């Protein structure tokens, strides 16, 4: 007789025990993670601690005389008071570039994900291909495009969108356009990843329920693409706000961002305490913006 016959009525058969796990599997996990942890410690944690220490050095020191650790916390308010316009300019330019990138990148990502068909892979390559070229070369190319004798400025003058002596190069417009172009793939790719998983039947169902294109986008497409949108905006905004190459090559000192000031503090003026303090202030400001943004959008799980 089957063993099940001896079970009380209504009783479930005993659960089948789980197969034993391979011996030593979990004991090896810490050793497998050890190289990554060592890499982060040596190349991230140690430099970060050194930078924190440098931000508290005596501001009257120099490379010739040396820097004394005086716990000079006053370096932070002094640096902020001296360069707050560059901080505001950095976030303003990055925010304007983000808006332009969203206006161009969201339709592009949607078209590639939902409408491209067999051209999808080719269009993705076109989005990524500029990143195969040096960041510096790409920015220098924009310097040529926006030059006073270039075709773009000539066209804008012909249609009277620019004055006869108007220019784009060495203006805030040039810096924002450079930021938009250079960091656009960081926005498009996460958006594409979210929109590619979007079930077309949901859009058809919205249409069957008499939702117009705008309402379908607002109630269906946008909420479902929100994880990619949040990730893409962060991947775009964070490096754009700390960039200095675009302002250096496409602008003038009047358009310099905080990254240009930090670069000058470390490599030109050799003012290490101020450069380190500005670096920490920039990191703090970016983290505050990021966490505020995640809290407002309700997507803290992105981090």
């Amino acid at each position: 007789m089957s063993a099940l016959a001896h079970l009380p009525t209504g009783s479930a058969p005993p659960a089948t025990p789980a197969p034993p796990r391979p011996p030593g599997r979990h004991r090896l996990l810490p050793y497998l993670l050890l190289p990554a942890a060592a890499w982060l410690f040596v190349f991230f944690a140690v430099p970060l601690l050194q930078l924190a220490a440098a931000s508290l050095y005596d501001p009257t020191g120099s490379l010739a005389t040396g820097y004394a650790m005086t716990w000079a916390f006053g370096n932070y308010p002094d640096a902020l008071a001296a360069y707050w316009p560059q901080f505001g300019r950095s976030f303003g330019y990055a925010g304007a570039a983000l808006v332009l990138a969203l206006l161009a990148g969201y339709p592009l990502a949607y078209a590639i994900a939902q409408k491209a068909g067999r051209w999808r892979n080719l269009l993705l390559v076109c989005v990524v291909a500029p990143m195969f070229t040096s960041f510096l070369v790409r920015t220098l190319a924009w310097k040529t495009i926006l030059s006073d004798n270039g075709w773009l400025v000539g066209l804008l003058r012909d249609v009277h969108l620019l004055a006869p002596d108007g220019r784009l190069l060495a203006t805030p417009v040039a810096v924002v356009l450079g930021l938009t172009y250079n960091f656009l793939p960081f926005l498009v790719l996460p958006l594409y990843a979210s929109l590619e998983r979007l079930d077309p039947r949901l859009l058809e169902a919205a249409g069957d329920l008499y939702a117009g294109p705008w309402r379908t986008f607002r109630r269906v497409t946008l909420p479902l693409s929100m994880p990619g949108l949040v990730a893409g905006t962060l991947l775009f905004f964070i490096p754009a706000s700390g960039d200095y190459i675009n302002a250096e090559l496409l602008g003038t000192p009047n358009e310099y961002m905080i990254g240009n000031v930090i670069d000058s503090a470390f490599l030109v003026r050799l003012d290490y305490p101020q450069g380190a303090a500005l670096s920490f202030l920039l990191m703090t400001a970016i983290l505050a913006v990021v966490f505020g943004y995640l809290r407002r959008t309700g997507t803290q799980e992105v981090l």
Side-chain angles (χ1 to χ4, degrees):
M1 183 179 295
S2 173
L4 295 177
H6 299 286
L7 292 175
T9 304
S11 298
T16 304
R21 295 176 178 175
R25 181 177 178 180
H26 294 279
R27 287 179 295 181
L28 288 176
L29 186 59
Y31 297 100
L32 296 176
L33 296 177
L34 187 59
W39 177 275
L40 288 175
F41 177 77
V42 173
F43 294 104
F44 179 75
V46 172
L48 193 64
L49 291 174
Q50 291 178 335
L51 189 67
S55 69
L56 301 175
Y57 286 163
D58 183 2
T60 61
S62 66
L63 285 180
T65 61
Y67 289 101
M69 171 56 77
T70 59
W71 303 98
F73 288 97
N75 290 339
Y76 286 92
D78 291 345
L80 184 60
Y83 295 107
W84 65 265
Q86 283 80 2
F87 271 104
R89 193 176 299 139
S90 298
F91 289 106
Y93 287 172
L98 178 59
V99 172
L100 290 179
L102 284 172
L103 293 176
Y106 200 106
L108 176 60
Y110 182 85
I112 296 174
Q114 297 292 326
K115 306 295 184 181
R118 61 191 181 94
W119 300 101
R120 178 181 298 178
N121 291 336
L122 177 61
L123 291 175
L124 282 175
V125 170
C126 291
V127 171
V128 179
M131 301 185 71
F132 297 159
T133 307
S134 166
F135 189 95
L136 187 62
V137 172
R138 299 202 308 269
T139 308
L140 287 172
W142 270 92
K143 190 172 183 177
T144 303
I145 294 172
L146 301 175
S147 64
D148 295 342
N149 298 322
W151 63 270
L152 181 58
V153 171
L155 176 63
L156 293 177
R157 287 172 179 171
D158 292 340
V159 298
H160 304 291
L161 292 178
L162 271 180
D165 58 345
R167 60 185 322 212
L168 292 177
L169 192 64
T171 65
V173 174
V175 178
V176 171
L177 289 177
L179 292 172
T180 304
Y181 168 77
N182 279 309
F183 297 108
L184 183 62
F186 295 105
L187 175 68
V188 172
L189 293 179
L191 267 175
Y192 164 79
S194 286
L195 291 169
E196 194 270 336
R197 294 194 297 267
L198 182 64
D199 191 344
R201 292 175 296 181
L202 296 175
L203 305 181
E204 295 174 3
D208 293 340
L209 295 173
Y210 304 102
W214 168 245
R215 190 168 186 180
T216 299
F217 170 78
R218 185 169 56 89
R219 300 295 295 273
V220 179
T221 306
L222 183 60
L224 292 177
S225 65
M226 189 58 67
L229 181 63
V230 171
T233 51
L234 291 180
L235 288 173
F236 183 100
F237 182 83
I238 292 172
S241 57
D243 180 72
Y244 67 96
I245 295 296
N246 287 277
E248 181 76 29
L249 297 179
L250 303 178
T252 66
N254 293 328
E255 286 78 44
Y256 276 4
M257 301 164 67
I258 194 62
N260 300 95
V261 178
I262 295 173
D263 173 70
S264 175
F266 278 115
L267 302 180
V268 179
R269 294 184 283 111
L270 303 179
D271 190 348
Y272 287 6
Q274 187 181 78
L278 288 170
S279 299
F280 262 88
L281 286 171
L282 178 61
M283 285 190 288
T284 303
I286 289 176
L287 286 174
V289 170
V290 167
F291 281 106
Y293 174 63
L294 293 177
R295 184 179 180 85
R296 186 171 182 82
T297 57
T299 51
Q300 291 91 337
E301 66 272 10
V302 171
L303 293 182

